[in-house]
Amino acid sequence: MTEIHTEWTVSPGFVAYDAAVAFMEARAAAIAAGEAPDLVWLLEHPPLYSAGTSAKVSDLRDPDRFPVFQTGRGGEYTYHGPGQRVGYVMLDLTKRGRDARKFVRGLEQWLTDSVAPFDVTAERRDGRVGVWVERPDKGDGFEDKIAAIGVRLRKWVSFHGVALNVVPDLSHFTGITPCGISENRYGVTSLADLGKTSDMTEVDMAMKTAFESVFGPVKTVEPPVLP
């Protein structure tokens, strides 16, 4: 079987959300047409909230706090901002078996493997997309989400992706009900909140290694030039 090589790139600084979405949609279309290879794109956004296709208006608690973007990805409201590593994943699933559930499980495995080098045990949960960390220090049965997943498929090409909390301002999540989960025992955490000191470069290296173990080899390329 021919090995699938995925391009891998990291953008410095902050990338505007609308420009990122426009690039993703164009790249996904090019991948579907056989005109471009698969791509994983790591970046940071300035503070914003995005609403997935299942978002409920009542879950936007503070609509004037940050810009709010309606987006075509799955899921509900989420936050993006400084200190959070966003990974946009544009993969041709036709080459990977056209199994959406397997793809999401692969994304979850990628994230759990990405935080493992920092001595963080994160796990997937049935019915709660993303990866979670048990917090017995907060109480019995308490868990915090350390990374979120929200993807869309078009012509069996994925776009949007994952968001791993490295050292974001966790108070920014209070402007929404993250992913529509309002139970008190489910919160949000980050590597820094768990006492893990790491810079974004270390996280990027861990994410790259983990991605290759789940999805196959990557080739590093220059980041896109956006308008």
Side-chain angles (χ1 to χ4, degrees):
M1 184 176 180
T2 302
E3 212 167 30
I4 302 169
H5 287 262
T6 301
E7 291 189 341
W8 180 277
T9 194
V10 182
S11 283
F14 298 132
V15 177
Y17 188 77
D18 49 359
V21 172
F23 173 83
M24 277 192 291
E25 290 186 342
R27 180 63 176 246
I31 292 170
E35 298 169 355
D38 293 356
L39 174 68
V40 176
W41 181 22
L42 301 188
L43 53 83
E44 286 179 90
H45 286 305
L48 63 94
Y49 298 129
S50 70
T53 54
S54 301
K56 304 177 183 67
V57 174
S58 59
D59 286 335
L60 182 58
R61 299 174 178 175
D62 190 353
D64 299 321
R65 190 172 188 179
F66 299 125
V68 180
F69 293 88
Q70 301 295 320
T71 184
R73 63 162 173 80
E76 304 187 47
Y77 280 103
T78 194
Y79 165 77
H80 293 313
Q84 181 190 71
R85 180 51 93 204
V86 174
Y88 287 135
V89 183
M90 290 150 272
L91 303 184
D92 185 353
L93 298 193
T94 295
K95 300 176 182 176
R96 300 172 185 268
R98 289 197 176 190
D99 187 332
R101 289 188 179 185
K102 180 181 178 181
F103 173 58
V104 172
R105 289 196 300 270
L107 295 177
E108 291 172 333
Q109 188 64 52
W110 173 31
L111 292 168
T112 60
D113 291 351
S114 293
V115 299
F118 305 100
D119 295 321
V120 172
T121 300
E123 301 172 309
R124 63 170 61 93
R125 291 289 183 261
D126 291 339
R128 286 187 274 127
V129 176
V131 297
W132 298 78
V133 177
E134 293 183 353
R135 299 302 302 268
D137 54 312
K138 293 185 175 183
D140 185 38
F142 278 66
E143 296 183 346
D144 287 344
K145 179 181 282 192
I146 194 168
I149 296 174
V151 294
R152 182 173 182 182
L153 299 179
R154 181 181 293 160
K155 296 183 179 179
W156 287 102
V157 175
S158 67
F159 55 112
H160 294 282
V162 305
L164 173 60
N165 296 328
V166 180
V167 60
D169 185 338
L170 294 180
S171 71
H172 290 178
F173 286 89
T174 62
I176 58 172
T177 302
C179 301
I181 299 174
S182 59
E183 291 182 60
N184 183 54
R185 63 194 178 106
Y186 299 135
V188 180
T189 192
S190 67
L191 290 176
D193 182 50
L194 295 171
K196 309 302 179 181
T197 302
S198 57
D199 61 33
M200 203 64 82
T201 300
E202 292 176 302
V203 172
D204 291 348
M205 291 176 61
M207 291 183 73
K208 184 178 181 180
T209 299
F211 182 90
E212 289 188 310
S213 72
V214 177
F215 291 103
V218 301
K219 174 186 176 183
T220 302
V221 299
E222 291 297 313
V225 177
L226 303 177

